[in-house]
Amino acid sequence: MLHTTIKASAAFAVLLVLSGSSAFAQTATPAAANATPPTAAELAAGKKIFTTKAAPACALCHTLKDADSSGDIGPVLDELKPDAARVEKAVRGGIGVMPAFKGLLSEDEIRTVAKYVSAVAGK
């Protein structure tokens, strides 16, 4: 009985410490900023980045109906339906044979194309 009480007390103490910890504080992240629906201007800018601005253009490798692209190297984005955070991570750092676009596109352009892809994929 004493052993169970000690375990319960220890668990409660850990819970109290963790609940007040700044490690669990909610902070805004780039992905959270992309949670708002894109405006028509953002969609147009994202489409332009996807089809022509990025070098090589995303449209060369990826299929995305909204962009009229039918690339067959990367995944079909209409099937994958990635969220903006996933797209940002892949565009920024590259993945598989896909090159990293960090330094080639601005952070704003990366967020814009990520917001575009996540909004139109599968639609």
Side-chain angles (χ1 to χ4, degrees), residues 29-102:
T29 63
N34 286 328
T36 59
T39 64
E42 288 174 317
L43 288 174
K47 186 174 186 174
K48 184 175 182 176
I49 294 165
F50 187 90
T51 58
T52 61
K53 169 78 172 152
C58 311
L60 291 175
C61 297
H62 295 283
T63 296
L64 184 62
K65 181 180 176 184
D66 187 80
D68 294 321
S69 65
S70 57
D72 59 358
I73 296 170
V76 175
L77 296 172
D78 289 311
E79 292 173 4
L80 189 61
K81 299 177 191 171
D83 63 23
R86 186 173 181 184
V87 176
E88 277 189 46
K89 183 177 179 181
V91 171
R92 194 173 284 114
I95 187 168
V97 298
M98 180 178 155
F101 286 87
K102 183 178 181 178

